[in-house]
């Protein structure tokens, strides 16, 4: 089946430092998966951070960016300089393009930014 | 703008008791609707989806059922709760005009004792 792996369950970074959250995927049943990063800030609901639906393309939002790499089956999330307000749980996910559109999520990475 | 509302916000229920969780979408006609569940410390997984009124497809068997009685309403229920049903339940809809992403409601926290 399809799966998404986030290797780090928790990441702590100092403010203004760079960040990378790893995400790799396996899409055995989907020819052209869509890739997403969702984020849950403390006390808030799950919201879309960015999406990329074409291999080789990069998505960006709020200073975060991720590139859809079909060769390495990766979709790592990066930010050059994190802020304390970026502290949240980040989920990598993939879906197909059918009506069922099941989102398959990674286990999530809790980011803590130290002031 | 579309809004998604879930009720209740939280529930504490006894094992063996019935459950009904609701979800309403406003501002979007004929949305695709989804239920997701996350056990404490677990991964979000899709439970059900519906593309039209009266039609629901099951994705994961958890002794739960879902119904779509109206275009903008999605209900998750069971007649007998298990301890393993505890967790966080999220309703979502899909916006076909915006390239496949799903938008999530605030969720319901369920604790089964």
């Amino acid at each position: 089946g399809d799966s998404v792996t986030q290797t780090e369950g928790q990441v702590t970074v100092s403010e203004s430092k760079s960040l990378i959250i790893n995400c790799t995927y396996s899409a055995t049943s989907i020819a052209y998966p869509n890739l997403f990063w969702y984020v849950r800030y403390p006390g808030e609901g799950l919201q879309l951070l960015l999406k990329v639906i074409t291999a080789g393309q990069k998505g960006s939002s709020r200073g975060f960016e991720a590139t859809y790499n079909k060769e390495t089956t990766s979709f790592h999330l990066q930010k050059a300089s994190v802020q304390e307000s970026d502290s949240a749980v980040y989920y990598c996910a993939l879906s197909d393009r059918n009506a069922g559109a099941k989102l398959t999520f990674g286990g999530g990475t809790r980011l803590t930014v130290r002031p | 703008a579309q809004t998604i509302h879930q009720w209740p916000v939280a529930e504490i229920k006894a094992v063996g008791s019935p459950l009904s969780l609701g979800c309403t979408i406003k501002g979007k006609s004929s949305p695709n609707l989804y239920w997701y569940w996350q056990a404490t410390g677990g991964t979000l997984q899709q439970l059900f989806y519906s593309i039209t009124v009266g039609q629901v497809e099951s994705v994961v068997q958890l002794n739960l059922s879902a119904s779509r009685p109206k275009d903008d309403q999605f209900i998750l229920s069971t007649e007998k709760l298990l301890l393993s049903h505890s967790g966080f339940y999220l309703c979502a809809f899909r916006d076909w005009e915006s390239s496949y992403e799903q938008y999530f409601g605030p969720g319901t926290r369920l604790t089964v004792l």
Side-chain angles (χ1 to χ4, degrees):
Chain A
D2 306 316
S3 65
V4 177
T5 301
Q6 294 178 242
T7 51
E8 306 98 351
Q10 293 194 75
V11 171
T12 301
V13 180
S14 296
E15 199 164 29
S16 80
K17 297 297 185 185
S18 63
L19 168 74
I20 181 165
I21 297 178
N22 294 309
C23 171
T24 56
Y25 67 91
S26 173
T28 55
S29 66
I30 305 171
Y32 303 101
N34 304 316
L35 298 178
F36 307 89
W37 278 100
Y38 281 84
V39 59
R40 181 183 287 151
Y41 296 102
E44 297 186 19
L46 191 65
Q47 55 187 279
L48 179 70
L49 178 60
L50 57 86
K51 67 175 189 280
V52 182
I53 64 170
T54 305
Q57 303 270 322
K58 179 165 68 177
S60 60
S61 173
R62 306 180 209 176
F64 290 90
E65 57 182 38
T67 300
Y68 185 157
N69 190 320
K70 193 174 179 182
E71 285 68 40
T72 60
T73 62
S74 66
F75 192 54
H76 307 317
L77 184 67
Q78 301 183 74
K79 190 173 186 182
S81 175
V82 297
Q83 303 168 355
E84 198 173 349
S85 57
D86 294 325
S87 295
V89 181
Y90 293 81
Y91 295 93
C92 185
L94 66 81
S95 78
D96 61 24
R97 302 182 184 192
N98 299 327
K102 182 175 74 170
L103 272 170
T104 299
F105 284 90
T109 298
R110 181 176 297 276
L111 170 66
T112 301
V113 179
R114 287 191 301 238
Chain B
Q2 305 100 333
T3 58
I4 179 167
H5 175 59
Q6 286 187 244
W7 72 92
V9 173
E11 278 266 47
I12 299 176
K13 303 277 281 187
V15 170
S17 63
L19 174 76
S20 181
L21 304 181
C23 171
T24 298
I25 316 297
K26 295 301 180 188
K28 178 73 180 175
S29 61
S30 304
N32 289 354
L33 298 177
Y34 310 86
W35 277 111
Y36 288 83
W37 170 70
Q38 185 176 30
T40 303
T43 303
L44 274 160
Q45 55 182 310
Q46 190 186 57
L47 300 178
F48 299 93
Y49 71 90
S50 170
I51 60 174
T52 192
V53 174
Q55 288 188 18
V56 176
E57 299 294 330
S58 173
V59 178
V60 173
Q61 289 298 327
L62 281 182
N63 292 308
L64 295 167
S65 60
S67 64
R68 186 167 177 179
K70 295 191 245 183
D71 186 55
D72 64 351
Q73 197 173 80
F74 207 17
I75 306 296
L76 185 71
S77 61
T78 183
E79 293 186 2
K80 276 190 172 184
L81 277 166
L82 307 173
L83 282 174
S84 57
H85 286 139
S86 291
F88 195 57
Y89 290 83
L90 285 169
C91 180
F93 73 92
R94 178 166 165 173
D95 187 344
W96 283 98
E97 290 88 16
S98 296
S99 301
Y100 314 110
E101 62 259 38
Q102 294 180 22
Y103 297 93
F104 288 83
T108 295
R109 171 75 58 191
L110 173 66
T111 303
V112 183
L113 302 174

